[in-house]
Amino acid sequence: MPDVVVVGAGVVGAACAYYAARAGLDVLVVDRGAVAGGTTGAGEGNVLVSDKGPGPELDLALLSNRLWRDLAADGPDGGPDGGFEFEAKGGLVVAETDEVLEALTGLAGEQGVECVAVAAGELGDYEPHLAKGLAGGVFYPHDAQVQPMLAAARLIRRGAERFGHGALMLRTGVTVTGFLRDGDRVTGVTTSCGDILAGAVVNAAGTWGGEIAALAGVRVPILPRRGFILVTEPLAGPLIRHKVYTAGYVTAVASDSEGLETSAVVESTPSGPVLIGASRERVGFDRTISVPVLERLARQAVELFPALAAYRVIRAYCGFRPYCPDHLPVIGEDPRVPGLYHACGHEGAGIGLAPATGHLIARLLAGLDPDLDLAPFSPDRFPQEAS
Amino acid sequence: MTRIHDLAVVGAGPAGVAGALTAALAGLDVVLVDGAGRPGGQYFRRPAEGFHAARPGALHHGLDRFTRQWEALRERAEVLLSTRVWAVERADGAITVRCLEGDREERPRTVTARGLLVATGAHDRPLPFPGWDLPGVLTAGGAQALLKGDLVVAGRRVVVAGTGPFLLPVAAGLADAGAQVLGVHEANRRFGLARHPLLAAGRAAEALGYAARLARHRVPYSGREAVIAAHGETALTHVTVASLDAAWRPLSTRTVECDTLACGYGFVPQLDLPLQLDCATRRDPDGGPVVAVDAGMRTSVPGVYAAGEATGVGGAALAEVEGRIAGRAAAADLGRPTPPDPALSRRRDRLAAFARALQGAYPLRPGWQDWLRDDTLVCRCEEVPLSAVREAQAMGAVDARSVKLLARPGMGWCQGRMCGYAVACLVGEDPAPPRRPIAQPVRLGDLAARARPAPDGRKTSSEG
Amino acid sequence: MSGPYRLVRARPEPEFEISVDGAPVAVVPGQSVGAAMHGAGIRSWRTTRFGGRPRGLYCGIGVCFDCLVTVNGVPSLRACLTEARPGDLVTTGEAPAPSGAGGER
Ligand SMILES: Cc1cc2nc3c(=O)[nH]c(=O)nc-3n(C[C@H](O)[C@H](O)[C@H](O)COP(=O)(O)OP(=O)(O)OC[C@H]3O[C@@H](n4cnc5c(N)ncnc54)[C@H](O)[C@@H]3O)c2cc1C
Ligand SMILES: Cc1cc2nc3c(=O)[nH]c(=O)nc-3n(C[C@H](O)[C@H](O)[C@H](O)COP(=O)(O)OP(=O)(O)OC[C@H]3O[C@@H](n4cnc5c(N)ncnc54)[C@H](O)[C@@H]3O)c2cc1C
Ligand code: FES
């Protein structure tokens, strides 16, 4: 019997499993599909500290950023990319207008994150192909990038290889259908492939985390927020050196609009293509492609990097970010259901925040104090009645 | 105001042209779009005008009939050649067809219609083997297209391999055109002429014709044989031909010197456009997805029809019949009086049954996986070797999609068109309907050109 | 007259020339860039980005993207779909890297 069953083999589940195994626990990861087949397989791989205002999410992001670096440096072959294309390339946030630049530098001041103000005339030193006429920007050396699918798969494998045979196992094609209980306490899960007894269960089911919670009779409101990404043809060399995006976001708080929002996030990848994100829409789990959204993403990218106009888009995909009403993830033991731990609802930052989430969950599972205040992420912070 | 046609047809092969003409004759305002510069699709691909071929029909049966249909269509419908469709959308009962016009200019152009007939045909289905990406290795259809469209003989010393009746016209065409065809290696059993499935399909003359032509050129045609490796430094110099057991595992091998290999294991229907509209699919007998249609070639999406290879691989004659049925259904659905034509439906049923029989006679057997070595590329575009696919599987990528996410087969330029079938087989599943929201590469500048700026310029958080 | 021309009784118009890396290649009007090169014995005109493997025509109908080529400076065109025009300058090898700073292109 494993000490812990982790539901979900996305990047968050993988990180939870890895750190739990490292803490000496026997871990079984189950997923109804394949490894990284959920939202982790539909994201972009940004590991950002630059985009978060001061507060609990930034603290989580900073911890996670450090942990990503450790995980990369600790890769099996000692290579700098950890086996998952980790690149500490830094992020350049650019402002279109002086007004936005002011807001951007203001935010940078409050964040307390290492950063460098970049004057308009210096932008070209960072990104030679950046459009002319931008007001300036801020460079965040800590922003990084990973290939999220590889990261999830390799973390699970690394954990299995490193922490003793049997300490970390993955079972794919196993759908969790309910919980085994002893009174209130969770003692395992029922699945499409039989019951699994365990000391604790971690709900790392991402966008479907609310469904898992419901199986345990508790409400954790997680909803899908659709996003599209454009993928270009492979480029011979990197056109874009850093992660680059526009600062428009600092002028708007996290939006609660149902409607379409887009902002340009552009980056080269080690495999050659440029990734262009990202849109946000609340349309449920609707996969139908929306050409106007793709057009808007293209326009924003070309406005930022005019040279991109000549390159072709060969692919587009969409995914569903797991979001909570207050845009914070759910991390911690559920006081209503002892033995059930949640690690889900990371919205558009689950890749970046995965290691910190895993690390914190592992500490809880091992009976240690978490080294970050988890109150803002508590599972019972939402009103119980359906909204 | 953009003009709204009654019916947009994508594909100027036998299915699309017959469908467009039938619909136009029934009174519909039709627009037909094809990415190629000349009509004909794959089967009726014809030499460029500059050749002034007096007998283009020497390369295919029934070209005259097709040409008459095409001429009739041109008088009754708008035709847009060299116009590739990269996306179709449906909103408020109208279909928007997004195109790129010009083979190199790629000017964006939009066509709008009340109905859509998808007649996008198929492409070759390759199987990987060591060396299959060497220059000089072509798909069987590719060699055929070069000959039919450009009057270029693919090589001097040519080996033809794969499975299916299509190998015969390819070999016969190459031999007639002057290539030395060293052999036709059919991986399935070689049917004696008396039992050849083409006879059952009522195409005896065709089958006899190929046999006679191959015999005249002394081209050996052998069954249970395959090219299991191609060799050469920078271009093909020789191939390894193996005799196979019933499961296609190699029994013994020999080497054949050649400069060209034309190789194909059947066809894969092009489903990008119907899948963008969420048309339901079904499985063909070979396990591959095809568009599901009713007796009127209607897909599950109202106003969207499909005909030809997209509804199941069945050849040019079936494609034409299906096109005509679809054209009639579209006309009827838009209120044009169209009496039923039971003879047409019976003909379709008969040809479709033959197509199924043919597919049954030329199945793909799993032994081809034994031809691969660890370093054999499975995906040509992203240069993914078999070992990387196996490593991804070992890490928990249990389906083709997650293998693609981890190891990248299908992530490159061709978007899995060439490797998709093989990767699905390697992970032990039937190929999934391909999701390609962008059916043809489109320049970012062109995509950007139509976009309106965000309504209030507002943007929100950035992290993707 | 060569085999295929005889087969269909072609009476081709006079050929024109395109240049492939500076070398002339003859084209019958209407032929694709890829067909003309293949017919002239040029079997590959690009190398892959990881293994440097040579690539030319494969599928012949625009679906494999092996035959990508640069024509008159326009990169990543499918040679098998691109009809040759008199005087076309074809350059082989990797697509050119984007030039110059942003703002123009
Ligand atoms: C377009 C887009 C771009 C993004 N870009 C970024 C970015 O740049 N940086 C970033 O940090 N984040 C980004 N994100 C967000 C990020 O992808 C997610 O936050 C993150 O992947 C969530 O990971 P997860 O492990 O929680 O969920 P998932 O990866 O979805 O994993 C959950 C798993 O649970 C499994 N599961 C569900 N129900 C059950 C059940 N009943 N039984 C068994 N298994 C079950 C699913 O199969 C799935 O594999 C982006 C998201 C989108 C959509
Ligand atoms: C390379 C090749 C060669 C073949 N040669 C022969 C042969 O010699 N003899 C034989 O019996 N069978 C041949 N076939 C089999 C062929 O599939 C059928 O014989 C027949 O052509 C099918 O007719 P169709 O109308 O369904 O499609 P097709 O004839 O394939 O016509 C489809 C048309 O749709 C167009 N199209 C597809 N996608 C788009 C898009 N996104 N935008 C715009 N246009 C698009 C294509 O350009 C094409 O002209 C060949 C198949 C292939 C792939
Ligand atoms: S040869 Fe396949 S795309 Fe040109």
Side-chain angles (χ1 to χ4, degrees):
Chain A
M1 178 180 114
D3 299 312
V4 187
V5 170
V6 176
V7 184
V11 68
V12 174
C16 290
Y18 174 83
Y19 285 104
R22 202 173 79 163
L25 301 169
D26 279 352
V27 186
L28 173 64
V29 183
V30 296
D31 199 295
R32 63 182 174 194
V35 70
T39 312
T40 298
E44 227 182 330
N46 299 325
V47 176
L48 300 188
V49 294
S50 53
D51 66 331
K52 291 165 185 74
E57 202 189 359
L58 180 58
D59 298 340
L60 195 63
L62 287 167
L63 171 60
S64 221
N65 195 280
R66 258 197 324 275
L67 294 174
W68 268 127
R69 278 159 210 277
D70 294 347
L71 289 170
D74 195 23
D77 44 12
D81 85 336
F84 43 76
E85 300 182 6
F86 178 84
E87 284 186 283
K89 48 162 58 169
L92 180 66
V93 192
V94 298
E96 295 99 328
T97 64
D98 290 336
E99 189 192 345
V100 174
L101 183 60
E102 201 173 308
L104 177 67
T105 40
L107 175 83
E110 292 165 28
Q111 283 169 320
V113 175
E114 185 184 334
C115 64
V116 186
V118 182
E122 295 166 2
L123 284 172
D125 301 342
Y126 284 83
E127 291 293 342
H129 296 283
L130 202 58
K132 306 273 187 272
L134 291 160
V138 176
F139 179 69
Y140 289 83
H142 281 102
D143 281 357
Q145 176 174 310
V146 297
Q147 205 278 37
M149 298 76 87
L150 278 177
R154 293 231 195 258
L155 277 188
I156 291 177
R157 176 139 98 186
R158 200 193 284 182
E161 284 170 355
R162 234 176 243 185
F163 306 123
H165 189 69
L168 172 45
M169 297 210 302
L170 168 67
R171 281 180 66 193
T172 52
V174 177
T175 304
V176 169
T177 53
F179 283 88
L180 300 169
R181 305 289 275 261
D182 179 5
D184 277 350
R185 190 163 188 87
V186 159
T187 55
V189 288
T190 62
T191 78
S192 55
C193 303
D195 295 352
I196 302 172
L197 284 166
V201 177
V202 176
N203 170 15
T207 316
W208 303 272
E211 294 171 17
I212 298 294
L215 293 176
V218 289
R219 176 170 179 263
V220 175
I222 294 174
L223 289 166
R225 195 169 188 189
R226 184 170 76 175
F228 281 105
I229 304 283
L230 298 176
V231 186
T232 70
E233 63 183 276
L235 272 54
L239 178 80
I240 298 157
R241 297 178 182 169
H242 309 94
K243 190 163 294 298
V244 180
Y245 62 93
T246 46
Y249 78 98
V250 284
T251 57
V253 279
S255 166
D256 285 317
S257 134
E258 305 261 318
L260 168 68
E261 292 151 25
T262 56
S263 56
V265 189
V266 186
E267 64 197 301
S268 295
T269 61
S271 355
V274 172
L275 296 188
I276 297 167
S279 63
R280 291 155 174 272
E281 283 167 286
R282 290 176 204 162
V283 290
F285 287 103
D286 179 2
R287 287 202 168 272
T288 325
I289 202 77
S290 163
V291 173
V293 177
L294 304 187
E295 288 173 337
R296 210 146 106 188
L297 291 174
R299 182 184 168 117
Q300 290 172 337
V302 170
E303 280 171 358
L304 212 48
F305 288 98
L308 281 175
Y311 291 97
R312 291 168 173 80
V313 178
I314 63 171
R315 195 160 89 83
Y317 59 86
C318 76
F320 300 94
R321 303 178 186 85
Y323 85 92
C324 293
D326 58 4
H327 304 283
L328 289 178
V330 182
I331 304 171
E333 188 173 16
D334 197 317
R336 301 161 293 186
V337 191
L340 175 60
Y341 295 72
H342 298 287
C344 51
H346 294 74
E347 195 161 346
I351 296 154
L353 299 178
T357 305
H359 162 86
L360 292 164
I361 290 282
R363 286 189 72 89
L364 295 177
L365 289 168
L368 303 170
D369 275 343
D371 35 18
L372 198 77
D373 177 18
L374 287 180
F377 310 117
S378 95
D380 64 346
R381 67 186 194 265
F382 310 100
Q384 184 59 41
E385 66 282 352
S387 58
Chain B
M1 218 11 248
T2 45
R3 167 159 168 214
I4 300 190
H5 298 270
D6 290 327
L7 184 69
V9 180
V10 184
V17 169
L21 178 61
T22 306
L25 288 171
L28 296 191
D29 166 14
V30 176
V31 55
L32 177 133
V33 186
D34 196 299
R38 297 187 289 279
Q42 304 311 344
Y43 184 78
F44 292 120
R45 186 180 286 273
R46 54 190 307 164
E49 294 297 331
F51 285 106
H52 299 286
R55 232 166 53 92
L59 293 166
H60 15 40
H61 298 262
L63 182 62
D64 289 349
R65 178 187 164 83
F66 176 83
T67 307
R68 281 197 302 276
Q69 291 182 1
W70 173 251
E71 296 302 334
L73 178 66
R74 281 218 305 207
E75 289 168 14
R76 291 171 177 82
E78 185 175 353
V79 298
L80 304 173
L81 295 174
S82 294
T83 304
R84 301 200 268 269
V85 178
W86 67 268
V88 286
E89 291 174 285
R90 185 166 170 278
D92 310 322
I95 310 254
T96 308
V97 184
R98 310 256 182 201
C99 315
L100 298 167
E101 199 183 9
D103 60 3
R104 55 179 100 176
E105 289 79 11
E106 302 186 6
R107 290 176 298 270
R109 172 165 186 162
T110 296
V111 168
T112 311
R114 295 163 72 193
L116 174 72
L117 168 55
V118 178
T120 44
H123 58 71
D124 278 275
R125 179 166 62 190
L127 288 179
F129 50 83
W132 70 305
D133 66 325
L134 272 174
V137 179
L138 297 174
T139 64
Q144 182 81 332
L146 258 185
L147 180 59
K148 282 183 167 182
D150 297 280
L151 296 188
V152 169
V153 189
R156 278 185 226 283
R157 291 172 56 83
V158 187
V159 170
V160 177
T163 192
F166 180 54
L167 300 182
L168 296 175
V170 171
L174 287 167
D176 286 349
Q180 186 186 355
V181 180
L182 301 164
V184 181
H185 306 283
E186 163 63 58
N188 277 297
R189 261 175 0 150
R190 184 199 142 161
F191 290 92
L193 198 52
R195 297 185 40 227
H196 200 284
L198 278 176
L199 295 186
R203 286 153 68 187
E206 197 183 325
L208 285 167
Y210 297 139
R213 280 154 70 191
L214 290 179
R216 192 166 65 235
H217 296 290
R218 296 186 202 295
V219 175
Y221 173 34
S222 32
R224 290 263 167 86
E225 285 192 356
V227 168
I228 61 161
H231 315 276
E233 280 298 316
T234 55
L236 182 67
T237 54
H238 54 291
V239 295
T240 302
V241 173
S243 61
L244 306 176
D245 69 10
W248 293 14
R249 284 182 299 255
L251 296 172
S252 62
T253 63
R254 63 180 196 277
T255 300
V256 177
E257 283 182 25
C258 58
D259 56 42
T260 302
L261 169 65
C263 191
Y265 288 86
F267 297 102
V268 177
Q270 308 218 59
L271 305 182
D272 306 347
L273 303 183
L275 287 171
Q276 287 177 359
L277 295 171
D278 260 339
C279 293
T281 57
R282 63 172 181 85
R283 299 246 165 233
D284 232 13
D286 67 0
V290 299
V291 182
V293 288
D294 71 5
M297 309 310 292
R298 295 177 190 87
T299 70
S300 63
V301 176
V304 180
Y305 310 81
E309 310 288 56
T311 69
V313 172
L318 178 60
E320 185 201 323
V321 171
E322 291 189 343
R324 286 168 62 192
I325 295 175
R328 295 172 68 86
D333 294 348
L334 288 171
R336 304 300 191 281
T338 321
D341 186 345
L344 204 53
S345 304
R346 280 199 301 275
R347 195 162 145 71
R348 173 180 183 228
D349 293 345
R350 208 168 56 238
L351 289 170
F354 292 143
R356 280 195 297 276
L358 268 187
Q359 277 194 20
Y362 296 99
L364 266 56
R365 301 292 183 195
W368 65 264
Q369 298 184 22
D370 288 6
W371 310 347
L372 310 189
R373 298 187 314 238
D374 277 353
D375 63 353
T376 302
L377 295 190
V378 172
C379 166
R380 306 164 68 90
C381 300
E382 297 299 290
E383 301 170 73
V384 181
L386 177 67
S387 57
V389 171
R390 296 301 185 213
E391 190 197 355
Q393 286 179 289
M395 285 196 293
V398 289
D399 54 20
R401 176 171 173 266
S402 53
V403 166
K404 166 174 151 181
L405 292 174
L406 292 189
R408 299 188 62 77
M411 282 281 197
W413 270 106
C414 91
Q415 287 294 295
R417 289 174 176 91
M418 295 296 103
C419 66
Y421 179 82
V423 173
C425 291
L426 288 172
V427 304
E429 66 187 36
D430 280 337
R435 244 194 334 244
R436 296 191 189 107
I438 300 204
Q440 293 284 323
V442 46
R443 289 195 181 102
L444 269 166
D446 293 336
L447 195 53
R450 281 177 41 98
R452 275 158 293 152
D456 50 1
R458 193 173 67 155
K459 294 163 183 174
T460 51
S461 74
S462 58
E463 79 277 22
Chain C
M1 202 192 275
S2 81
Y5 292 15
R6 205 168 48 234
L7 198 59
V8 298
R9 301 224 191 96
R11 306 162 135 271
E13 286 171 19
E15 295 173 344
F16 60 77
E17 272 184 9
I18 62 174
S19 142
V20 179
D21 294 333
V25 166
V27 183
V28 175
Q31 277 185 321
S32 73
V33 169
M37 289 202 280
H38 192 95
I42 305 171
R43 288 296 183 94
S44 62
W45 44 83
R46 157 173 104 88
T47 51
T48 56
R49 65 191 202 281
F50 300 123
R53 297 175 169 89
R55 292 288 166 82
L57 291 183
Y58 178 59
C59 76
I61 62 163
V63 290
C64 76
F65 294 82
D66 263 2
C67 66
L68 296 176
V69 74
T70 300
V71 182
N72 302 333
V74 180
S76 304
L77 292 171
R78 280 166 275 180
C80 67
L81 295 186
T82 306
E83 192 176 308
R85 294 178 193 165
D88 272 345
L89 298 176
V90 176
T91 35
T92 70
E94 283 280 358
S99 56
E104 291 84 43
R105 241 163 127 133

